[in-house]
Amino acid sequence: MKILVINCGSSSLKYQLLEMLGEHRLASGLVERIGESMGKVSHQNRPDAAGGQGIVYEKPISDHRSAMNEAVGQLTAPGTGVISGPSEIAAVGHRVVHGGELFQEPVQVDRRVLEAIQKTIPLAPLHNPANLMGIKVARELFPHAPQVAVFDTAFHQTIPAFAYHYALPWSYYEQMGVRRYGFHGTSHQYVAREAAIRLGRPPSAVNLITAHLGSGASICAIEKGVSVDTSMGMTPLGGLIMGTRGGNLDPGVVMYIAERKGMTLEEVNAVLQKESGLKGICGMNDLRDIHAAAGDGNARAQLALDMFVYRCRQYIGAYFFQLGRVDALVFTAGVGENDAVIREACCRGMATAGLTLDPQKNRYPDRHGGEITAAGSRIKGYVIPTNEELEIARQTLGVVEGKE
């Protein structure tokens, strides 16, 4: 069965076509700068195979329908396409950022689902409209194929009420849905399943802490296979320090800045979204650049590294106590998978808690099946590359086949 996975942004469309028998990628691509004077299309056939064919070109891409047509055109191109036509696509899985409290699992799209996603737009005004647009276009282009919505927030709907409520007037929750939701759910769910396989146990038998560390970052506490807490809140602004987002913040700071600088809430929000985090501290948001600058003696770059690690350790430590028993700590996403220095700093001093890092394994995790802990470490440490597209495809397949 071939499943097309779509991640639709406000001005971009990312896609992958997967053959679920064997779970391998047939093609992947990205359409960027939709609606601008000149768009860009990047497409690659069989990206996991040696000699996979790639193509990059520019042309005006007026809207998401045009972007989807470009993707279909590459997938079906005579002589180079990986499928003969759209009819070969058995189902389409869509990433939807926010499902609010309406969606606790992936669902096949129908009129009621579309209306419900529309209702969640106030919770994710930058993402959900684009996700919804992608679904509507795909339904028209692939009328034969079931459309499945997979929500970033769904995995965290198992978090208990005492952990997701804010201590605000109750009417804010009842009337506006103000509460913690969490994000990166498909990533945390994917690596949790992979960690359970490495541990040789079913997901329902493991307790994990998963650290999705990238430009956006979050940490999740997983008890018996389900999320019981996560660092992000009602929006992706909360929790860890990120590339351009500052994470947890005294709300009084927002009011103080707005008053002293004469800024509107929209202007303050722009600063919190785009000018804070690592970038706010040292002027750089890529940890590779920050490591290099710190090595050259840049004090603020070193401060940014120290602050990033400190915040990660705060959550990891809190979740150790919350879970009581931890079977593994898992690092994933761009930083988590590739930055051995950050992983080592996050794990420093954890031997007393039962996790002993092996420096050599941590430096070259690929050579050791992703394990980074020493022999005899009671708690395992893993580096597991995330694959959100495959997780979306798996959940889409489950919905289509009627599986849990």
Side-chain angles (χ1 to χ4, degrees):
M1 178 184 287
K2 296 179 179 67
I3 292 179
L4 178 64
V5 174
I6 293 174
N7 183 351
C8 201
S10 59
S11 61
S12 66
L13 187 147
K14 185 179 180 182
Y15 61 91
Q16 280 194 20
L17 181 64
L18 298 99
E19 171 55 68
M20 298 311 292
L21 182 62
E23 293 188 339
H24 57 270
R25 292 188 294 172
L26 297 177
S28 64
L30 173 66
V31 184
E32 302 174 88
R33 304 199 292 265
I34 298 171
E36 298 183 19
S37 58
M38 187 61 67
K40 180 180 178 181
V41 180
S42 305
H43 177 88
Q44 187 172 13
N45 289 332
R46 307 189 188 283
D48 299 324
Q53 299 173 323
I55 183 172
V56 178
Y57 60 93
E58 293 187 337
K59 65 178 292 187
I61 309 290
S62 59
D63 53 27
H64 286 78
R65 183 186 307 282
S66 299
M68 198 81 76
N69 282 329
E70 291 296 323
V72 173
Q74 291 301 320
L75 293 171
T76 61
T80 60
V82 294
I83 56 175
S84 59
S87 61
E88 285 193 46
I89 295 173
V92 182
H94 297 267
R95 179 200 181 210
V96 180
V97 167
H98 216 305
E101 292 186 320
L102 300 174
F103 298 102
Q104 301 181 5
E105 57 189 12
V107 293
Q108 186 166 333
V109 175
D110 58 18
R111 179 183 56 81
R112 288 178 298 177
V113 169
L114 289 174
E115 291 173 353
I117 295 174
Q118 184 78 30
K119 291 178 181 178
T120 64
I121 285 177
L123 295 172
L126 298 178
H127 297 91
N128 274 27
N131 301 155
L132 196 58
M133 188 183 309
I135 294 173
K136 291 178 179 178
V137 172
R139 292 183 84 197
E140 295 176 9
L141 292 178
F142 311 103
H144 65 284
Q147 310 284 322
V148 176
V150 179
F151 301 89
D152 276 9
T153 51
F155 182 58
H156 302 302
Q157 283 295 296
T158 50
I159 293 176
F162 61 77
Y164 70 66
H165 274 295
Y166 291 121
L168 294 170
W170 190 254
S171 60
Y172 294 177
Y173 167 68
E174 287 187 317
Q175 297 171 10
M176 297 183 290
V178 176
R179 52 157 285 186
R180 295 177 61 239
Y181 291 98
F183 300 89
H184 296 140
T186 52
S187 178
H188 288 295
Q189 189 167 9
Y190 175 82
V191 298
R193 288 176 176 170
E194 293 298 310
I197 292 171
R198 286 162 170 76
L199 292 166
R201 305 180 206 169
S204 60
V206 297
N207 287 2
L208 306 167
I209 299 172
T210 53
H212 177 109
L213 307 181
S215 179
S218 65
I219 295 180
C220 182
I222 298 172
E223 184 174 28
K224 297 180 180 178
V226 301
S227 173
V228 294
D229 206 352
T230 190
S231 57
M232 282 182 170
M234 178 175 168
T235 75
L237 274 174
L240 303 178
I241 293 170
M242 300 170 238
T244 62
R245 286 172 269 172
N248 283 355
L249 181 71
D250 175 354
V253 172
V254 174
M255 294 178 283
Y256 180 80
I257 293 172
E259 181 179 349
R260 292 296 299 269
K261 300 282 287 186
M263 297 169 71
T264 66
L265 288 178
E266 286 186 359
E267 290 171 334
V268 176
N269 182 59
V271 171
L272 297 178
Q273 297 275 8
K274 301 294 185 181
E275 303 297 330
S276 300
L278 298 171
K279 182 178 180 181
I281 300 163
C282 66
M284 296 169 279
N285 60 287
D286 190 313
L287 273 167
R288 292 167 294 189
D289 297 333
I290 296 172
H291 278 301
D296 290 338
N298 186 318
R300 280 169 53 190
Q302 185 60 54
L303 175 63
L305 290 173
D306 293 342
M307 291 175 66
F308 179 80
V309 169
Y310 181 74
R311 187 71 61 83
C312 289
R313 286 170 60 85
Q314 279 187 313
Y315 276 98
I316 292 170
Y319 291 163
F320 260 98
F321 277 96
Q322 178 174 319
L323 292 171
R325 189 200 84 236
V326 175
D327 299 302
L329 170 63
V330 182
F331 292 95
T332 193
V335 174
E337 295 170 25
N338 298 297
D339 197 324
V341 174
I342 291 294
R343 293 195 300 266
E344 182 179 4
C346 286
C347 295
R348 190 173 297 130
M350 288 190 180
T352 54
L355 188 151
T356 304
L357 198 71
D358 183 310
Q360 185 71 6
K361 289 182 179 179
N362 182 52
R363 199 169 296 116
Y364 306 106
D366 290 345
R367 301 179 187 177
H368 304 277
E371 185 177 351
I372 58 175
T373 38
S377 178
R378 181 176 59 81
I379 297 171
K380 297 293 184 182
Y382 294 113
V383 174
I384 300 178
T386 191
N387 194 333
E388 294 174 86
E389 289 79 13
L390 177 56
E391 180 63 29
I392 291 171
R394 285 174 173 174
Q395 293 191 31
T396 298
L397 180 64
V399 171
V400 171
E401 294 188 342
K403 297 178 179 178
E404 285 193 80

